[in-house]
Amino acid sequence: MAGSTFGTLFTVVTFGESHGPATGCVVDGCPAGLSLDVPVIARELARRRPGGKGPAPSGRKEADEPEILSGVFEGKTLGTPIAILIRNTDQRPGDYDGLRDLYRPGHADWTWEAKYGLRDHRGGGRSSGRETAARVAAGAVAGVFLASYGITVRGWVSSIAGIRIPFPGEAGFDSEEAEKNPFRIPCAGYVERVNAALEALRQEGDSAGGEVFCSVTGLPPGIGEPVFDKLDARIAAAMLSIGAARGVAFGAGFAVSSMKGSENNDAPFAVQHDNAEHGGAGLPPGTLPPGVPELSYRTNNSGGVLGGISSGMPLEFTVAFKPAASIRRRQETADRNGAARELVIEGRHDVCIVPRAVPVVEAMASLVIADLILMQRCGR
Amino acid sequence: MAGSTFGTLFTVVTFGESHGPATGCVVDGCPAGLSLDVPVIARELARRRPGGKGPAPSGRKEADEPEILSGVFEGKTLGTPIAILIRNTDQRPGDYDGLRDLYRPGHADWTWEAKYGLRDHRGGGRSSGRETAARVAAGAVAGVFLASYGITVRGWVSSIAGIRIPFPGEAGFDSEEAEKNPFRIPCAGYVERVNAALEALRQEGDSAGGEVFCSVTGLPPGIGEPVFDKLDARIAAAMLSIGAARGVAFGAGFAVSSMKGSENNDAPFAVQHDNAEHGGAGLPPGTLPPGVPELSYRTNNSGGVLGGISSGMPLEFTVAFKPAASIRRRQETADRNGAARELVIEGRHDVCIVPRAVPVVEAMASLVIADLILMQRCGR
Amino acid sequence: MAGSTFGTLFTVVTFGESHGPATGCVVDGCPAGLSLDVPVIARELARRRPGGKGPAPSGRKEADEPEILSGVFEGKTLGTPIAILIRNTDQRPGDYDGLRDLYRPGHADWTWEAKYGLRDHRGGGRSSGRETAARVAAGAVAGVFLASYGITVRGWVSSIAGIRIPFPGEAGFDSEEAEKNPFRIPCAGYVERVNAALEALRQEGDSAGGEVFCSVTGLPPGIGEPVFDKLDARIAAAMLSIGAARGVAFGAGFAVSSMKGSENNDAPFAVQHDNAEHGGAGLPPGTLPPGVPELSYRTNNSGGVLGGISSGMPLEFTVAFKPAASIRRRQETADRNGAARELVIEGRHDVCIVPRAVPVVEAMASLVIADLILMQRCGR
Amino acid sequence: MAGSTFGTLFTVVTFGESHGPATGCVVDGCPAGLSLDVPVIARELARRRPGGKGPAPSGRKEADEPEILSGVFEGKTLGTPIAILIRNTDQRPGDYDGLRDLYRPGHADWTWEAKYGLRDHRGGGRSSGRETAARVAAGAVAGVFLASYGITVRGWVSSIAGIRIPFPGEAGFDSEEAEKNPFRIPCAGYVERVNAALEALRQEGDSAGGEVFCSVTGLPPGIGEPVFDKLDARIAAAMLSIGAARGVAFGAGFAVSSMKGSENNDAPFAVQHDNAEHGGAGLPPGTLPPGVPELSYRTNNSGGVLGGISSGMPLEFTVAFKPAASIRRRQETADRNGAARELVIEGRHDVCIVPRAVPVVEAMASLVIADLILMQRCGR
């Protein structure tokens, strides 16, 4: 029912069908007094925009110009709901007439009808990636709130079309690079190879999956609510709520299932001035309750969360995305009459949506963390 | 804050510290008129009981005899809150005196203090696996509700101590076997090998991780709420809310990131009498809205969920668990005074908790599905 | 925080400051397949519109033309969020410059600053009655859903400026009359008297309070969730969430405190064909669980709710509204510098907002009942 | 569904049928580090105990000895769920055999069956006043939290059996008196008269209603969430969730409907040292955001809330209670077969439950305020 509403305190509801008049969101619970304007939101929208950066740009051209309808007065948030409207300007519903009675493989066409009895077939209606524009707008608001804590949420593509990209600490890794190339990979040396792989798939009329790695720095310890609202549990739900996501893992990830406890345990140590470089030092006064010493950890297999609560180490997780379901290759499927049909999807589709998923991952992570920080505020 | 409350309609709150007087739960929202008694709950508790099945049984011996305090009258649920109490009978708080001021590696000791300023240090207090007994009790209630729909939730160990166990369709796989051996692996041929690996670790005073595979059959299509309460998103949160879980993946899992769309898309077909064996046939009348044909799929890379909504194929997912953090090997750590300390954890601990995690995975999946089925009921 | 979000399953979030660019709402959880169009919403908005019906029409002239941004496709609800946008067209922020640093008596100016540290001073910002336009739009959607059950929600003014209007069963009462006169009173004989009283107050530059009586017919028995989500508890919250409301009472109301049990108890009787006129007859098949006989009641002191659950009798309640706080008479107040100030409020204000509150009361009641009907659906 | 769960951050779920094994609650979200022990809870339970204070003590004798099962360690709250168990010791289910198939006038017997299809008929099962014992236990925990803010919640009987008791400021009012007499009336001079009235009703086998007045002092300004979670809206829901409550009103109450704006508006003034006696002075530093002056009000017709936000004046409201439905006088009713029946209720019942409702009103108000204070914490 209320499946389009997210969060407990810092909440967002998104609305809009892919080819309806508009998409948008209402952010409720954002604290008062923060500086917020349209450019902050527009900048993030530009990062996910179809026809913007990203390989095989979708032919769809959306201005994605957000309008702030409420919640901001004289440049400051009021503590009231922030409604953001994004008009759809490049609808081509006609492109989809042929799909009205067809159920596309890998899409939610039939499950949607099984649930609701009807659907907006134009571009997947609400199950379209178009919905994520509203999430990115909401995430930009959350990002402003997190910035006031010195928290940075940053993602990049760590694997694409089966090509594994170097991770932090490995040769060739360059976190600055990710926003410079269309694939959002943090390694200039791989750009050509990835481009070739995606071009080959485009020729075949096929698509590619990939993985996004996300790192959150500056997150104070103590964020996350045991038992069911653990930081990692909330992040996991947020990531799997992104259409094409099929898995999520934290820190050492699935590899932990083969590790020994002695290998996996992160050894804590008390932070002294002379080991500030371990990142634990310099917590703002009052971050920790009285009598609790500041610790850091020699390793971060836990991905920055222990017992569902942030440890002060970077929160790190990876999200796996399936290849885009819309491909030009001929596929077998069925229609509303239960007849077998062959399908060739024309129109405007990305070979790989993973680079464009990066700002969505960041947005969802920002929304979760903003919500849990408010939770922590009221518990202390 | 309300982090110990789970669900929207079929809700549960769990309570209890590991070495406090009791653990338990209150299930609110279970429909009226279901047959429920103590043995149904006790049977599930026995499956996760310390000292029960499972390798390297923990020394802790708990009777785990549940008492139903409310919500059931003359053997039927009343539609009112069902409170279930489980007394802790084998507390040995004395075992933990040495840990009062120590922060154990891989545990939530310090993050808990960073959050709350104090903790119950005895056996991890509320961050202990002991809390999952209450989840299993609640899951048993959900299971009774799901059984009335013909839904079966079944998990087993698919990887342990780095040993990968055969999957359905592979040689040696036997779903009946899982509950017959202490490791809950569905392949008799691997029992000896796994036992040897865990014994070796016990000698070293170390621990092992593993993976649990869970399959939900009989789930009708249409379950799951777009956008944020997707079936897979809710399952992901539920799984990561289990202490040692570090990752979750659906269907083809992380492998999708290397697949092509043409490989990953599951081809739908209309269900006719003559292909009932594909499992799609025989949906109860009224399951699908008028005019929607019954479909099934040639493959199940999606793991039974498309667009966050169940497809009628089995819901399949894998959860990765880290090795138990409590090990007898000497570890470096820190104490409340910020001093470096060496730690050797004595007392009663499992070499591998993964087999005991199986009923917890099943319980959490059952709670999510019960909640989403109630959601779907009110949407139709 | 999330104080602008209402409901559990049939939810609405409203947004908008009085003199910002727009007001509106997002309704999430409305079932799919209902016929919905703009005129249904516009009709209800017209009933509360400033400058529309109502005594001493506020000078503010708002077109209040709603736009449906999402959730409706080819005239039917999709089951997705229904976003409704209402542009503010007649802002005159300049009218309020003098109030920027003043705290008006009877208004939320100072409490708002005490909470948030800042406010939009223009017309009360979000604490303005303007916000209720969004509620009325959302209520219109709920009304369409309730109509599919044959439920009618109807309110009128039962007391205004101290003049008590006849109730159902009393001489002069005429339920058809209420929408024919500007005061929404169900008794033509009182129109002149009420008009005179309000005119006198206008001359004085003062304002009047009043009471709204609301009756919900066609509500099936079984609606409302014990213990805390009782039908009357939810209605009470909804009514007190309307700015000027100061009290709510059900059925016999505050008079029950002076009654004896033998006077107050409503005697039940089984509904037979020959007493269908008691209103209990003709429940749609399946309304009651198997084995439960259909009852009705000889009286309705309970106002249609027993134990928080609807009884099948009309749901009846009264809401008390304080006189509008904005008056032209000179008042003592304080400013941001803590200095004493004298205030004379010019600009456009109603002498009595109670007639315009009627559609807001109906809208809020409709939203509560829609939410509880969905709740009941999933419990059965 | 989840109708037995209350609150957003400071939450409570209650459980238990009147004649089941136990009643109790789980409080989730109570901040860590508060001193809490059994006597604090037992003291409040004693105030509502059947057979305790109160006129015509119910024959039922319950020890009402609470047990804290979790959430407290070494006398301090842990920030984890606090489960409180109260065993039912004086069940006499046999007393109710005659009512198994009867629907009692004024009770929820039939509406409960209309909803769930079955009920625990013994003493009303969960719709019994017995359930309020769990609320009072939870309210005691909230009271400890509020005490840390210097907030006092105090109620008394302001009208009983049609006899109006003096209010603060009127002759004879004595707030100390309320806890000294069995009727909880704040005026010794009325005790005899009230006693006589209730005795007369007992002779007739009838029952009496009444009103409870509640005053909350020490509440800082800024508490309450616009729009839907207004302080008064939340209080109204909490009060109507008490079984016999039929109405609630704030400050001047229903009288506002006859007042003029110039009479009703409370005039604010800036608090200076020399008018500290107005109660506004001495707010703890940091209570108000920077730049917001401290105000107080010359009158309190608003009952301490403006725009749904606390004003710093005492929060004052009145709750109307209907007379107890269980009376010994012969009544007409119906049974499960739809046959007309005559009913005389024997057994153990109060002539007037209103005095015992006082601690329930206080408990519910305390839970609402605790929840909204946590809300406010996270917004600032």
Side-chain angles (χ1 to χ4, degrees):
Chain A
M1 294 295 79
S4 289
T5 307
F6 184 81
T8 300
L9 294 171
F10 195 107
T11 67
V12 58
V13 56
T14 69
F15 61 86
E17 276 66 47
S18 181
H19 290 264
T23 185
C25 65
V26 182
V27 175
D28 194 7
C30 181
L34 297 169
S35 296
L36 182 67
D37 57 15
V38 164
V40 170
I41 298 162
R43 188 177 318 124
E44 289 306 306
L45 286 173
R47 293 179 62 216
R48 77 157 285 290
R49 181 155 66 232
K53 276 184 166 191
S58 148
R60 183 168 181 172
K61 296 273 179 291
E62 283 291 352
D64 280 352
E65 283 163 5
E67 181 185 8
I68 298 174
L69 298 175
S70 66
V72 178
F73 178 56
E74 297 176 343
K76 299 284 186 195
T77 57
L78 284 164
T80 61
I82 300 166
I84 302 172
L85 178 67
I86 306 167
R87 293 277 177 186
N88 293 329
T89 57
D90 188 24
Q91 304 113 292
R92 300 190 198 164
D95 291 5
Y96 298 94
D97 290 348
L99 300 177
R100 179 184 276 274
D101 297 322
L102 263 191
Y103 304 117
R104 295 167 298 168
H107 279 283
D109 298 344
W110 181 74
T111 55
W112 200 271
E113 281 197 8
K115 181 175 191 66
Y116 294 110
L118 77 173
R119 65 182 162 114
D120 179 348
H121 66 283
R122 303 166 303 169
R126 182 134 180 87
S127 64
S128 162
R130 179 70 186 150
E131 181 271 338
T132 62
R135 303 188 189 204
V136 168
V141 178
V144 167
F145 173 62
L146 296 187
S148 70
Y149 279 79
I151 298 170
T152 303
V153 179
R154 188 144 190 209
W156 54 79
V157 172
S158 55
S159 172
I160 182 166
I163 302 168
R164 183 189 173 290
I165 311 300
F167 276 79
E170 295 179 347
F173 176 83
D174 169 11
S175 66
E176 296 309 306
E177 172 61 26
E179 290 297 310
K180 296 180 189 158
N181 67 73
F183 312 115
R184 288 211 166 92
I185 57 174
C187 181
Y190 280 65
V191 170
E192 207 162 309
R193 200 171 135 205
V194 168
N195 190 48
L198 294 180
E199 267 313 311
L201 286 165
R202 182 197 321 291
Q203 301 311 323
E204 302 170 30
D206 219 325
S207 62
E211 298 178 11
V212 171
F213 181 88
C214 187
S215 174
V216 182
T217 54
L219 186 62
I223 306 303
E225 301 297 317
V227 172
F228 296 115
D229 285 342
K230 289 183 162 85
L231 172 58
D232 36 0
R234 289 290 308 276
I235 290 283
M239 294 308 133
L240 269 301
S241 79
I242 303 172
R246 305 313 295 136
V248 63
F250 294 80
F254 273 70
V256 294
S257 66
S258 313
M259 291 167 77
K260 299 179 181 184
S262 57
E263 297 165 335
N264 181 68
N265 283 351
D266 299 312
F269 63 93
V271 173
Q272 324 289 358
H273 289 303
D274 63 341
N275 52 30
E277 71 284 356
H278 281 91
L283 285 179
T287 302
L288 294 173
V292 179
E294 179 172 352
L295 298 193
S296 186
Y297 297 84
R298 307 250 175 234
T299 52
N300 192 24
N301 289 319
S302 74
V305 54
L306 280 166
I309 305 169
S310 62
S311 70
M313 295 291 281
L315 172 66
E316 297 179 333
F317 58 92
T318 299
V319 187
F321 289 92
K322 70 179 185 180
S326 292
I327 56 177
R328 288 206 325 283
R329 293 181 59 165
R330 185 171 307 279
Q331 301 180 86
E332 290 191 339
T333 185
D335 67 14
R336 181 174 278 104
N337 305 319
R341 295 274 295 272
E342 285 205 330
L343 170 68
V344 174
I345 298 176
E346 300 301 351
R348 309 168 293 171
H349 302 287
D350 295 348
V351 167
C352 183
I353 55 85
V354 179
R356 287 178 52 202
V358 169
V360 182
V361 165
E362 293 168 348
M364 293 308 300
S366 298
L367 287 165
V368 167
I369 293 166
D371 197 32
L372 290 174
I373 283 178
L374 292 187
M375 278 282 194
Q376 173 66 351
R377 274 195 194 186
C378 62
R380 290 274 291 278
Chain B
M1 295 294 79
S4 289
T5 307
F6 184 81
T8 300
L9 294 171
F10 195 107
T11 66
V12 59
V13 56
T14 68
F15 61 86
E17 275 65 48
S18 180
H19 289 264
T23 185
C25 64
V26 182
V27 175
D28 195 7
C30 181
L34 298 169
S35 296
L36 182 67
D37 57 14
V38 164
V40 170
I41 298 162
R43 188 177 318 122
E44 288 306 306
L45 285 173
R47 293 179 62 217
R48 76 158 285 291
R49 181 156 67 237
K53 275 183 165 192
S58 145
R60 183 170 180 171
K61 295 275 180 291
E62 281 293 351
D64 279 353
E65 283 163 4
E67 179 185 11
I68 298 175
L69 297 174
S70 66
V72 178
F73 178 57
E74 298 177 343
K76 299 283 186 197
T77 57
L78 285 164
T80 60
I82 301 166
I84 302 172
L85 177 67
I86 306 167
R87 291 280 177 184
N88 293 329
T89 57
D90 187 24
Q91 304 112 292
R92 300 190 198 163
D95 291 5
Y96 298 94
D97 290 348
L99 299 177
R100 179 184 277 272
D101 297 321
L102 260 192
Y103 304 117
R104 295 167 298 168
H107 280 282
D109 298 343
W110 182 74
T111 55
W112 200 271
E113 280 195 10
K115 183 174 191 64
Y116 294 111
L118 78 173
R119 64 181 163 115
D120 178 348
H121 65 282
R122 303 167 303 169
R126 181 132 180 87
S127 64
S128 162
R130 179 71 185 149
E131 182 272 337
T132 61
R135 303 188 189 204
V136 168
V141 178
V144 167
F145 173 61
L146 296 187
S148 70
Y149 279 79
I151 299 170
T152 304
V153 179
R154 188 146 190 207
W156 55 78
V157 173
S158 55
S159 173
I160 182 167
I163 303 168
R164 184 188 172 290
I165 311 299
F167 276 79
E170 295 180 347
F173 177 82
D174 169 10
S175 66
E176 296 310 305
E177 171 62 27
E179 291 296 311
K180 296 181 188 157
N181 66 72
F183 312 115
R184 289 211 166 92
I185 57 175
C187 182
Y190 281 65
V191 171
E192 205 161 313
R193 200 172 134 204
V194 168
N195 191 48
L198 295 180
E199 266 314 311
L201 285 166
R202 182 197 322 292
Q203 301 311 322
E204 302 170 30
D206 219 324
S207 62
E211 297 177 12
V212 171
F213 182 88
C214 186
S215 174
V216 182
T217 55
L219 187 61
I223 306 304
E225 301 296 318
V227 172
F228 296 116
D229 284 341
K230 289 183 162 83
L231 173 57
D232 35 0
R234 289 290 308 276
I235 290 282
M239 295 307 134
L240 270 300
S241 78
I242 304 172
R246 304 313 295 136
V248 63
F250 295 80
F254 273 70
V256 293
S257 66
S258 314
M259 290 167 77
K260 300 179 180 184
S262 56
E263 298 165 334
N264 180 67
N265 283 351
D266 300 313
F269 62 92
V271 174
Q272 323 290 357
H273 290 304
D274 65 341
N275 52 28
E277 72 283 354
H278 281 94
L283 284 179
T287 302
L288 294 172
V292 178
E294 180 171 352
L295 298 193
S296 188
Y297 297 84
R298 307 247 176 238
T299 52
N300 192 24
N301 290 319
S302 73
V305 55
L306 281 166
I309 304 169
S310 61
S311 69
M313 295 291 280
L315 171 67
E316 297 179 332
F317 58 92
T318 300
V319 187
F321 289 92
K322 70 179 186 181
S326 291
I327 55 176
R328 286 204 329 280
R329 292 180 60 161
R330 185 171 308 278
Q331 299 181 88
E332 290 192 340
T333 186
D335 66 16
R336 182 174 278 104
N337 304 318
R341 297 273 295 271
E342 284 205 331
L343 169 69
V344 174
I345 298 175
E346 301 299 351
R348 311 168 292 172
H349 302 287
D350 295 347
V351 167
C352 184
I353 55 84
V354 179
R356 288 178 52 203
V358 169
V360 182
V361 165
E362 293 168 347
M364 292 309 299
S366 298
L367 287 166
V368 168
I369 293 167
D371 198 31
L372 290 174
I373 283 178
L374 291 187
M375 277 281 193
Q376 173 66 351
R377 274 193 193 187
C378 63
R380 289 275 292 280
Chain C
M1 294 296 79
S4 289
T5 307
F6 185 80
T8 300
L9 294 172
F10 195 107
T11 67
V12 58
V13 56
T14 69
F15 61 86
E17 276 66 46
S18 181
H19 289 265
T23 185
C25 64
V26 182
V27 175
D28 195 7
C30 181
L34 297 169
S35 296
L36 182 68
D37 58 14
V38 164
V40 170
I41 298 162
R43 189 177 316 123
E44 288 306 305
L45 285 172
R47 293 179 63 216
R48 77 157 286 290
R49 180 156 67 234
K53 276 184 164 191
S58 149
R60 183 169 181 172
K61 296 275 179 291
E62 282 293 351
D64 279 354
E65 282 163 6
E67 180 184 9
I68 298 175
L69 297 175
S70 66
V72 179
F73 177 58
E74 296 177 344
K76 300 283 186 197
T77 57
L78 285 164
T80 60
I82 300 166
I84 302 172
L85 177 67
I86 306 167
R87 291 279 178 187
N88 293 329
T89 57
D90 187 24
Q91 303 114 292
R92 301 190 198 163
D95 291 6
Y96 299 93
D97 290 348
L99 299 177
R100 179 184 277 272
D101 297 322
L102 262 190
Y103 304 118
R104 296 167 298 167
H107 279 283
D109 298 344
W110 182 73
T111 54
W112 200 271
E113 281 196 11
K115 183 175 190 65
Y116 295 110
L118 77 173
R119 64 182 164 114
D120 178 348
H121 66 281
R122 303 166 304 168
R126 182 134 179 86
S127 64
S128 162
R130 179 72 187 148
E131 182 271 338
T132 62
R135 303 188 190 204
V136 168
V141 178
V144 167
F145 173 61
L146 296 187
S148 69
Y149 278 80
I151 298 170
T152 304
V153 179
R154 190 149 189 203
W156 54 78
V157 172
S158 55
S159 172
I160 182 167
I163 303 169
R164 183 188 173 290
I165 311 300
F167 276 79
E170 295 180 348
F173 177 83
D174 169 10
S175 66
E176 296 309 306
E177 171 61 28
E179 290 296 311
K180 296 180 188 157
N181 66 71
F183 312 115
R184 289 212 165 92
I185 58 175
C187 182
Y190 280 64
V191 171
E192 207 161 311
R193 200 171 136 204
V194 168
N195 190 48
L198 295 180
E199 267 312 312
L201 286 166
R202 182 198 320 293
Q203 302 310 324
E204 302 170 30
D206 219 325
S207 62
E211 298 178 11
V212 171
F213 182 89
C214 188
S215 174
V216 182
T217 54
L219 187 61
I223 306 304
E225 301 297 317
V227 170
F228 296 116
D229 284 342
K230 288 183 162 87
L231 172 57
D232 36 0
R234 289 290 308 276
I235 290 282
M239 296 306 134
L240 268 301
S241 79
I242 304 171
R246 304 313 296 137
V248 63
F250 294 80
F254 273 71
V256 294
S257 67
S258 313
M259 290 168 76
K260 300 179 181 183
S262 57
E263 298 165 335
N264 181 67
N265 283 351
D266 300 313
F269 63 92
V271 173
Q272 324 290 358
H273 290 305
D274 64 341
N275 52 31
E277 72 284 355
H278 281 91
L283 285 180
T287 303
L288 294 172
V292 178
E294 180 173 352
L295 298 193
S296 187
Y297 297 84
R298 307 248 175 236
T299 51
N300 192 23
N301 290 319
S302 73
V305 54
L306 281 166
I309 304 169
S310 61
S311 69
M313 296 290 281
L315 172 67
E316 297 179 335
F317 58 91
T318 300
V319 187
F321 289 92
K322 69 179 185 180
S326 291
I327 57 177
R328 285 205 328 281
R329 293 181 60 164
R330 185 171 307 278
Q331 302 182 84
E332 290 191 338
T333 186
D335 66 15
R336 182 175 276 106
N337 304 318
R341 296 274 296 272
E342 284 206 331
L343 171 68
V344 174
I345 298 175
E346 301 299 351
R348 309 167 293 172
H349 303 287
D350 295 347
V351 167
C352 184
I353 56 86
V354 179
R356 288 177 54 203
V358 169
V360 182
V361 166
E362 293 168 348
M364 294 308 300
S366 299
L367 287 166
V368 168
I369 294 167
D371 198 31
L372 291 174
I373 283 178
L374 292 187
M375 278 281 194
Q376 173 66 351
R377 275 194 193 186
C378 63
R380 289 275 292 279
Chain D
M1 290 299 79
S4 289
T5 307
F6 184 81
T8 300
L9 294 172
F10 195 108
T11 67
V12 59
V13 55
T14 68
F15 61 86
E17 276 65 49
S18 180
H19 290 265
T23 185
C25 64
V26 182
V27 175
D28 194 7
C30 181
L34 297 169
S35 296
L36 181 67
D37 57 14
V38 163
V40 170
I41 298 162
R43 189 178 317 124
E44 289 305 306
L45 285 173
R47 292 179 62 217
R48 76 157 286 290
R49 182 155 67 234
K53 278 183 162 194
S58 148
R60 183 169 182 172
K61 296 272 180 292
E62 281 293 350
D64 279 352
E65 282 163 6
E67 179 184 11
I68 298 175
L69 297 174
S70 66
V72 178
F73 178 58
E74 297 177 343
K76 299 284 187 195
T77 58
L78 284 164
T80 61
I82 300 166
I84 302 171
L85 178 66
I86 306 167
R87 292 279 177 183
N88 292 329
T89 57
D90 187 25
Q91 304 112 293
R92 299 190 198 164
D95 290 5
Y96 298 94
D97 291 348
L99 299 177
R100 178 184 277 272
D101 297 322
L102 262 190
Y103 304 117
R104 296 168 297 168
H107 280 282
D109 298 344
W110 182 72
T111 55
W112 200 270
E113 281 195 11
K115 183 174 192 64
Y116 295 110
L118 77 171
R119 64 182 163 115
D120 178 348
H121 66 282
R122 303 167 303 169
R126 181 134 179 86
S127 64
S128 162
R130 179 70 185 150
E131 182 271 338
T132 61
R135 303 188 191 205
V136 168
V141 178
V144 168
F145 174 61
L146 296 186
S148 70
Y149 278 79
I151 298 170
T152 304
V153 178
R154 189 145 189 208
W156 53 79
V157 172
S158 56
S159 172
I160 182 167
I163 303 168
R164 184 189 172 289
I165 312 299
F167 276 80
E170 295 180 347
F173 177 82
D174 170 9
S175 65
E176 296 309 306
E177 170 62 28
E179 291 296 312
K180 296 181 188 156
N181 66 71
F183 312 116
R184 288 211 166 93
I185 58 175
C187 181
Y190 280 65
V191 171
E192 206 162 311
R193 197 171 137 205
V194 168
N195 190 48
L198 295 180
E199 267 313 311
L201 286 165
R202 182 197 323 290
Q203 301 311 322
E204 303 170 29
D206 219 326
S207 63
E211 297 177 12
V212 171
F213 182 88
C214 187
S215 174
V216 182
T217 54
L219 188 61
I223 306 304
E225 301 296 319
V227 172
F228 296 115
D229 284 342
K230 289 183 162 84
L231 172 57
D232 35 0
R234 290 289 310 276
I235 290 282
M239 295 307 134
L240 269 301
S241 78
I242 304 172
R246 304 313 296 135
V248 63
F250 295 81
F254 273 70
V256 293
S257 67
S258 313
M259 290 167 77
K260 299 178 181 183
S262 58
E263 297 165 334
N264 180 68
N265 283 351
D266 300 313
F269 63 92
V271 173
Q272 323 291 357
H273 288 305
D274 64 340
N275 52 30
E277 72 283 354
H278 282 92
L283 285 179
T287 303
L288 295 172
V292 179
E294 179 172 352
L295 298 192
S296 187
Y297 297 84
R298 307 246 176 238
T299 52
N300 192 23
N301 289 319
S302 73
V305 55
L306 281 166
I309 305 169
S310 61
S311 70
M313 295 291 281
L315 171 66
E316 297 179 334
F317 58 93
T318 300
V319 187
F321 289 92
K322 69 179 186 180
S326 292
I327 57 177
R328 287 205 328 281
R329 292 181 60 164
R330 184 171 308 278
Q331 300 181 87
E332 290 191 339
T333 187
D335 67 15
R336 181 175 277 103
N337 305 318
R341 297 273 296 272
E342 284 205 331
L343 170 67
V344 174
I345 298 175
E346 301 300 351
R348 310 168 292 172
H349 302 287
D350 295 347
V351 166
C352 184
I353 56 84
V354 179
R356 288 178 52 203
V358 169
V360 182
V361 166
E362 293 168 347
M364 292 309 299
S366 298
L367 287 165
V368 168
I369 294 167
D371 198 31
L372 290 173
I373 283 178
L374 292 188
M375 278 282 194
Q376 173 66 351
R377 274 193 195 188
C378 62
R380 287 276 292 280

